Amino acid sequence: MSALQLLALAVTHPFELRSLITYKVWRDPLNDIKSSADSGWERQTMRDCWTLLDQTSRSFAAVIKELKGELGRVICLFYLVLRALDTVEDDMTIDNTRKVQLLRDFYTKLEQPGWNFTESGPNEKDRHLLVDFHKVIEEYQRLGPEYRVVISDITAKMGAGMASYILASSQSSLHVATFADYDLYCHFVAGLVGEGLSRLFGSSGIERRWLCDQLSLSNHMGLFLQKTNIIRDYAEDCRDGRFFWPAEAYKKAGFQTQADVARGIVPAKSGHFKPQGPDGKAAMGVLSDMLLDAMQHATRALDYLSLLRDQSVFNFCAIPQVMAIATIELMFANPDVFRRNVKIRKSQAVQLILKSINPRDVAYLFVEFTRKMRSRLDPADPHFVRWTVELGRIETWAETFYPTFVTAATEGTSDDVRIGGLQRYSEARVKLAQELAVKAGKEIAAPNDDDPKFTAMSDAERAAREKKDRADLLRFFSLILLAMTGFILVVALAGWYAAWYWTQTGTDPLTLFLIEQYHEARAASYHLAAQAAGLAKDAISSTKAKLEL
Amino acid sequence: MSTSPATQQRYVVLGGAGFLGSAIVRALVARGEKNVLIVDVRPPAADAATSSAAAFHQGDMTDEAALVALFGKLKPDVVIHTASPIASGGQKELFERVNVRGTVNVVKACQQNGITSLVFTSSAGVLFDGSNLINVDERMPYPLKAFDAYNDTKARAEQIVLAANTPRSDKAGLKTVSLRPAGIFGPGDRQALPGFFGVLAAGRTNVQLGDNTNLFDWTYVDNVAHAHLLAADKLHAEPYAMDELVHEHIAARILSPEERKLERAVPTSEKRPSPPGVPDFAADLPKQELERKLEPGEMAGTDIRPVARSKWDQFFYLVHPTVQNADNPAPQTWDFAADEEGAGAALEVAGQAFHITNGQPMCFWDFPRALWAAAGHPVNLKKVWSIPTGLGLWLAGASETFAWLTRREAQFTQFKVTFSCATRYYNVEKARRLLGYEPLVGMEEAVKRSAQWWQEEGHKLAPK
């Protein structure tokens, strides 16, 4: 970033600048591939593969390198194989018949040491990956069989899926008819990646082995990312003649093609765009439909993340999901989506990376973004109720698994009513336990050093109780102090009156002062009451309902 | 309507002429019950659907002797007690007489007539004291100081009902259950919908109290009626299987049957449709998978995993019996997790209270805005005037003071400010598991029906 950009960031988003500096200066990678025994760094072919990863993956290379043990190497190779497949698929210089066959057979090349592909178009961005593919194959052959079978299987399925879609697009421009077809396309290009990664994590033993079988959650992870990208890439895809938005979404809004949807989006001030007329309004409805469809994967993505145990695997999976929901929030009710590629700021991305370190924080990042969306949710949106219910689901998910009354010691104590409620409930259970023990003729266990009520509480509950004890003590001393002060005042007042009336005649000045103040206060209260009545009248009807049975 | 089959028992619906009571009567009749009896102080409104199928009997809960005699004459198998004064208005004595003493009478009448099933309608408000209730479950104790007289009397009535429950071993004894619906609304509503549509009629939709980040649970009346039928059916059922607390995943996304039809399962490599119009090359591939040795206790198949439960979950102690937590605080004294009888009691319907909501909380002001939009008057967010909670409370206090000075009833009260600014949503997992409750009507459909009813019928109820 340039110095001017950094300066502008310091003024407009100072916290993000701080995150950027923290990330560059202080953050240490979880694992270092150059010193790790499992990374294969000592072999030239594997070093070449790491280099290929850096060249082909701008966003994922860093988190892949941090993966624990041999997972980093395994995922690196998985990524390169799929990237090679994608490079073949993207290449417009290869005729479709040849391409279909190549994609369908690609997984068999992994068993052919020395194989590579030199016929990519000269301008194909990642053609060097295919030219050097024999190196990837060599390293693939070194993997354990439990990894090879996964990579081969996913490559086979994805290649076959791509082949089917190439045939579909050879008949006409690639387009998607229904939301179900949209899901299926996303499954082939992204859901399968999710499945493959889950099987690799589970096979490694670093994560629970039954993670291999969580196909639905794995696909939700993949689809959440892919749908976010498809929505974000609307303008770019329209220019390139690719249409991934389901026709079901835009045809019911009255548009015939995906490109038509942007018809009512016109330039506004300062480089942004705005919807204009009925077409513009309908376009925003289509965008709402698409984003709502993507948001339905969010709670399942959180389900998946809460299953993970290893920190590096969690980072690898969580960071893209948090980027996705940040992007959805950016696109929400944003007409710019139809005219350009909207992206979150790099500094914001860094801030999110630093925050995405455990499932609880990730869940509340999701909640934060849902609240931002809700504040812009238009009651005229045809999906208003579905949106607000969907956003509520994320908050409910977070409170179910990581309730906010459970706080770290550094965050201070919460005044949440649930703490007191759970504490009283627990105390009632202790009492019930004692009654049942007596009734059963069981001798009550000798009390431990710890009070059973106290040990049953979490740290937060214990801290809350200690705080309450301190508050009670403070209140007691405050009352004593207040009583003493009151007593002194009464004695002083009595002394004043005694002295005055003993030595002087006429009314004392204190009484005169009080009488004067009373008259002033009464006059002011009339004025205040009139003002309050006016305000109350305005606000009165907005909360008429009493909403209980 | 309700999805459960008819039982052909004799049902008495106390308060059957009221808003919720008539919905319960309709639900019973709709599922084919032949013996539905309405007991209320006044007859139900003219309604052909229910009046022919359900007989009306005049009865006053506050008269114990008369009620005992009436139950003796009617001989019900199931009593559904949903009678209650409307919550608004500060009639403390009336609440005490009907909600508390009336409920004592109902319990006595059931006991003296050998009736074995009593379903009581409590309220989710029994837990509310003005503080935020965030995803609370049924373990939350009653507040030390009730929010108002209505909820105080409902809480005490609930305790009376649950205390009357007899142990499972006493087959012929009375079994009781309490349902706590949150924010009931729907056609026939005399509180929520008239209030919000009154705001619309007065042109005050641009005022918002609080910042509208507080999630709030509402429940469509047909769903509450459905819950009552489930509770009545399951009062004598075996306890919920403890294994299912670990293995049975109830969907985290709570959906009505209509919504579930529209919900698409995500495609997986094991189960997916074919790409449309072209050969499905992926379907012809040879299977590539190493046979995996299963972990102890693990079952084969995809998407199988244990239900995730945090330490603060209400069922945690039953599935993690060795971990000490709020439910099992002193295992050295008495281990609740090892207590089979106690665990059974925790998993049966009788003797328990259940939260009943739509399971789809919305932020407080989103609900009336949805109603207004469904009625054709969407709010323009740019014109909304937001009053912070503190200022709202101050204004309400001033309004109440003024009303007191001038001997009038206040319309803008601190109760209403607190109510509309508080988070109030509930964990309904217990009702979903033990009762098998799911909402029959989702929020989107419920809002639509409510707005339609108001435009056709409801506005006639509005005071002129």
Side-chain angles (χ1 to χ4, degrees):
Chain A
M1 307 177 85
S2 72
L4 274 179
Q5 282 175 317
L6 287 173
L7 188 63
L9 193 68
V11 173
T12 57
H13 298 96
F15 293 112
E16 288 181 9
L17 177 62
R18 189 177 71 173
S19 296
L20 193 61
I21 293 169
T22 301
Y23 186 78
K24 296 283 189 182
V25 176
W26 297 112
R27 188 172 183 275
D28 287 324
L30 294 175
N31 297 291
D32 180 8
I33 58 171
K34 297 183 182 180
S35 59
S36 167
D38 295 308
S39 68
W41 188 258
E42 74 279 3
R43 293 188 299 274
Q44 183 61 48
T45 46
M46 194 59 222
R47 284 206 296 276
D48 289 345
C49 288
W50 286 114
T51 302
L52 287 169
L53 178 70
D54 286 329
Q55 292 168 348
T56 58
S57 166
R58 291 157 298 281
S59 46
F60 283 109
V63 282
I64 289 174
K65 290 173 179 175
E66 293 193 5
L67 286 165
K68 184 174 179 178
E70 63 182 351
L71 258 188
R73 180 165 59 96
V74 173
I75 303 298
C76 172
L77 295 172
F78 185 46
Y79 180 90
L80 292 175
V81 170
L82 297 184
R83 186 58 146 198
L85 200 64
D86 201 46
T87 303
V88 171
E89 195 262 341
D90 275 347
D91 195 331
M92 293 304 150
T93 68
I94 305 173
D95 73 271
N96 280 351
T97 306
R98 177 102 193 279
K99 188 187 287 189
V100 163
Q101 198 58 47
L102 188 52
L103 289 169
R104 294 183 65 191
D105 294 339
F106 199 86
Y107 73 101
T108 63
K109 310 305 185 191
L110 298 173
E111 305 300 330
Q112 297 177 31
W115 182 87
N116 69 341
F117 187 74
T118 57
E119 298 170 45
S120 298
N123 299 319
E124 192 61 35
K125 188 176 54 177
D126 293 321
R127 73 184 304 278
H128 63 286
L129 171 56
L130 286 165
V131 170
D132 287 340
F133 198 69
H134 58 280
K135 296 174 182 175
V136 176
I137 293 172
E138 184 178 333
E139 286 296 326
Y140 167 85
Q141 291 293 328
R142 290 176 183 272
L143 297 177
E146 71 277 18
Y147 298 131
R148 292 209 307 272
V149 70
V150 173
I151 294 177
S152 180
D153 187 41
I154 297 299
T155 303
K157 288 171 173 164
M158 188 174 285
M162 286 176 170
S164 293
Y165 281 102
I166 282 174
L167 284 192
S169 64
S170 66
Q171 296 160 12
S172 60
S173 283
L174 177 58
H175 64 278
V176 180
T178 67
F179 274 104
D181 294 338
Y182 178 53
D183 284 352
L184 184 63
Y185 175 80
C186 292
H187 161 73
F188 276 114
V189 301
L192 282 171
V193 179
E195 287 187 24
L197 289 170
S198 297
R199 287 166 70 184
L200 294 173
F201 298 151
S203 300
S204 69
I206 289 170
E207 291 293 344
R208 285 173 263 233
R209 294 197 177 270
W210 45 254
L211 200 66
C212 296
D213 300 322
Q214 304 306 317
L215 299 190
S216 289
L217 291 187
S218 304
N219 276 275
H220 281 292
M221 291 282 279
L223 267 67
F224 189 47
L225 301 183
Q226 183 65 21
K227 289 182 174 182
T228 303
N229 288 342
I230 284 175
I231 299 166
R232 185 196 62 193
D233 292 343
Y234 173 93
E236 182 182 321
D237 287 340
C238 284
R239 275 199 309 272
D240 296 344
R242 292 193 301 259
F243 305 107
F244 299 114
W245 287 32
E248 186 181 354
Y250 55 78
K251 284 198 168 172
K252 75 186 182 192
F255 300 105
Q256 287 308 306
T257 68
Q258 182 176 319
D260 279 349
V261 180
R263 200 162 58 209
I265 307 297
V266 300
K269 59 182 181 179
S270 68
H272 290 291
F273 295 85
K274 67 179 182 183
Q276 183 172 276
D279 277 346
K281 187 176 176 181
M284 299 308 293
V286 176
L287 177 62
S288 167
D289 211 349
M290 293 293 293
L291 291 172
L292 180 59
D293 174 69
M295 277 299 292
Q296 289 174 20
H297 301 290
T299 51
R300 268 68 69 90
L302 291 171
D303 283 335
Y304 183 94
L305 294 173
S306 67
L307 301 179
L308 302 175
R309 299 186 301 185
D310 179 73
Q311 184 68 58
S312 63
V313 173
F314 182 84
N315 292 357
F316 178 81
C317 297
I319 288 167
Q321 303 295 320
V322 173
M323 301 304 176
I325 194 160
T327 303
I328 289 178
E329 189 269 324
L330 185 60
M331 296 192 287
F332 184 77
N334 185 354
D336 288 9
V337 171
F338 293 106
R339 293 298 182 190
R340 59 188 181 83
N341 194 308
V342 299
K343 278 180 179 173
I344 55 178
R345 292 179 300 277
K346 189 182 287 186
S347 50
Q348 187 187 359
V350 166
Q351 191 173 52
L352 295 175
I353 290 171
L354 293 171
K355 287 183 177 178
S356 306
I357 55 178
N358 64 61
R360 181 184 188 276
D361 289 351
V362 168
Y364 283 99
L365 279 173
F366 273 53
V367 170
E368 198 178 305
F369 286 117
T370 59
R371 288 187 172 166
K372 289 179 181 175
M373 287 189 252
R374 185 186 274 104
S375 67
R376 307 203 305 273
L377 179 56
D378 187 358
D381 189 308
H383 305 299
F384 179 73
V385 176
R386 288 175 58 200
W387 261 111
T388 190
V389 168
E390 197 62 53
L391 299 175
R393 285 192 173 112
I394 294 187
E395 189 159 339
T396 304
W397 189 100
E399 286 288 354
T400 299
F401 292 102
Y402 304 102
T404 44
F405 67 85
V406 182
T407 57
T410 51
E411 291 179 25
T413 56
S414 169
D415 59 358
D416 199 303
V417 74
R418 289 174 289 178
I419 295 177
L422 208 54
Q423 185 176 318
R424 284 193 282 139
Y425 174 79
S426 186
E427 287 167 5
R429 292 287 276 188
V430 170
K431 190 176 175 185
L432 179 61
Q434 288 162 356
E435 289 169 10
L436 289 171
V438 169
K439 188 181 295 183
K442 181 183 174 185
E443 189 171 325
I444 297 179
N448 294 336
D449 291 338
D450 290 319
D451 182 333
K453 289 186 285 186
F454 207 67
T455 54
M457 300 169 189
S458 69
D459 287 340
E461 291 163 338
R462 190 176 301 130
R465 180 169 170 162
E466 286 171 356
K467 183 192 178 188
K468 181 174 174 289
D469 290 342
R470 261 183 271 111
D472 287 342
L473 206 61
L474 187 64
R475 193 179 302 117
F476 173 75
F477 280 122
S478 299
L479 285 173
I480 294 290
L481 197 61
L482 222 58
M484 289 175 66
T485 305
F487 179 74
I488 289 168
L489 284 174
V490 167
V491 170
L493 203 61
W496 159 265
Y497 277 115
W500 179 269
Y501 285 106
W502 184 271
T503 60
Q504 304 289 331
T505 57
T507 312
D508 65 284
L510 184 59
T511 304
L512 289 173
F513 175 77
L514 288 176
I515 290 170
E516 183 185 350
Q517 288 300 305
Y518 169 72
H519 288 309
E520 281 186 14
R522 203 169 67 172
S525 70
Y526 288 144
H527 179 66
L528 197 66
Q531 236 178 354
L535 283 167
K537 189 180 177 186
D538 283 342
I540 222 164
S541 54
S542 62
T543 52
K544 275 184 177 175
K546 273 193 180 178
L547 307 166
E548 202 52 57
L549 178 72
Chain B
M1 283 304 149
S2 184
T3 52
S4 45
T7 62
Q8 301 310 338
Q9 291 179 301
R10 290 175 64 80
Y11 291 85
V12 158
V13 183
L14 285 170
F19 169 47
L20 173 57
S22 57
I24 292 171
V25 170
R26 280 198 305 272
L28 286 166
V29 169
R31 81 173 186 181
E33 299 291 355
K34 300 292 196 294
N35 301 290
V36 182
L37 309 166
I38 299 169
V39 172
D40 212 323
V41 290
R42 66 181 66 84
D47 186 333
T50 49
S51 61
S52 58
F56 170 74
H57 295 267
Q58 205 272 339
D60 184 354
M61 269 169 46
T62 60
D63 184 343
E64 182 189 333
L67 194 63
V68 172
L70 182 60
F71 279 13
K73 191 182 89 171
L74 299 179
K75 294 183 170 58
D77 299 305
V78 181
V79 172
I80 299 178
H81 169 15
T82 187
S84 176
I86 289 178
S88 56
Q91 317 154 67
K92 191 167 184 176
E93 166 51 31
L94 178 66
F95 292 146
E96 191 74 32
R97 185 155 51 85
V98 178
N99 286 349
V100 180
R101 294 206 292 274
T103 299
V104 170
N105 295 342
V106 172
V107 168
K108 286 182 179 176
C110 289
Q111 289 167 336
Q112 292 181 37
N113 285 291
I115 293 160
T116 58
S117 299
L118 170 60
V119 180
F120 173 64
T121 310
S122 178
S123 166
V126 295
L127 300 182
F128 188 55
D129 66 352
S131 305
N132 291 330
L133 295 177
I134 303 172
N135 203 38
V136 296
D137 59 43
E138 290 86 346
R139 293 177 297 175
M140 174 68 76
Y142 303 118
L144 298 170
K145 183 173 183 293
F147 191 54
D148 60 8
Y150 174 81
N151 285 307
D152 178 47
T153 56
K154 289 301 267 190
R156 286 194 276 131
E158 179 179 87
Q159 289 174 283
I160 289 161
V161 168
L162 296 180
N165 185 61
T166 56
R168 231 158 66 76
S169 50
D170 183 359
K171 299 293 183 183
L174 176 63
K175 300 292 182 286
T176 65
V177 64
S178 173
L179 303 183
R180 298 173 175 171
I184 307 179
F185 74 99
D189 187 343
R190 282 184 156 63
Q191 297 180 85
L193 298 184
F196 287 133
F197 283 114
V199 171
L200 178 64
R204 299 293 182 186
T205 57
N206 60 328
V207 181
Q208 170 186 300
L209 290 169
D211 56 8
N212 198 37
T213 59
N214 49 319
L215 281 177
F216 209 92
D217 257 324
W218 301 94
T219 321
Y220 188 63
V221 67
D222 287 359
N223 296 331
V224 182
H226 173 55
H228 281 72
L229 272 56
L230 291 171
D233 296 345
K234 292 212 154 73
L235 260 177
H236 298 269
E238 291 296 312
Y240 184 81
M242 200 177 298
D243 277 2
E244 294 195 2
L245 294 175
V246 179
H247 298 127
E248 185 71 27
H249 287 263
I250 55 177
R253 301 164 59 80
I254 297 174
L255 301 167
S256 72
E258 282 300 310
E259 289 166 338
R260 200 165 298 284
K261 283 181 201 167
L262 298 175
E263 180 95 335
R264 305 185 309 275
V266 77
T268 70
S269 53
E270 294 277 318
K271 187 178 180 182
R272 60 170 177 79
S274 292
V278 288
D280 186 359
F281 297 123
D284 303 326
L285 290 167
K287 191 171 176 70
Q288 295 195 72
E289 198 171 304
L290 294 184
E291 211 58 46
R292 186 166 70 79
K293 190 191 293 182
L294 299 178
E295 311 259 332
E298 188 184 350
M299 292 178 285
T302 59
D303 293 321
I304 293 174
R305 62 182 182 278
V307 175
R309 293 187 187 281
S310 74
K311 189 182 170 187
W312 295 273
D313 182 271
Q314 60 188 313
F315 297 118
F316 177 86
Y317 77 107
L318 295 172
V319 300
H320 296 279
T322 59
V323 182
Q324 195 169 344
N325 80 332
D327 289 278
N328 197 12
Q332 70 279 5
T333 300
W334 183 267
D335 191 350
F336 284 104
D339 176 12
E340 282 184 19
E341 188 177 316
L347 292 172
E348 65 185 23
V349 169
Q352 301 217 64
F354 293 89
H355 292 148
I356 303 295
T357 76
N358 245 76
Q360 299 171 326
M362 301 163 70
C363 284
F364 184 88
W365 293 101
D366 287 352
F367 178 66
R369 285 173 187 162
L371 290 169
W372 300 329
H377 301 283
V379 171
N380 184 344
L381 282 188
K382 294 188 177 71
K383 296 178 179 175
V384 166
W385 176 36
S386 179
I387 300 176
T389 308
L391 176 59
L393 286 170
W394 188 87
L395 291 172
S399 166
E400 285 174 321
T401 303
F402 182 76
W404 177 75
L405 289 171
T406 58
R407 301 187 200 285
R408 284 197 242 130
E409 190 183 331
Q411 291 299 312
F412 181 48
T413 63
Q414 292 190 36
F415 172 94
K416 289 175 179 176
V417 177
T418 303
F419 190 80
S420 54
C421 295
T423 300
R424 258 176 67 145
Y425 68 103
Y426 301 88
N427 184 319
V428 291
E429 185 181 2
K430 194 160 96 164
R432 297 176 72 202
R433 288 191 179 273
L434 275 62
L435 296 179
Y437 168 79
E438 299 286 338
L440 294 181
V441 181
M443 284 305 285
E444 189 174 28
E445 177 65 16
V447 163
K448 222 171 281 178
R449 291 189 191 183
S450 298
Q452 184 179 332
W453 167 77
W454 183 262
Q455 289 176 307
E456 291 171 1
E457 310 253 357
H459 65 277
K460 299 168 188 169
L461 305 175
K464 298 299 180 186

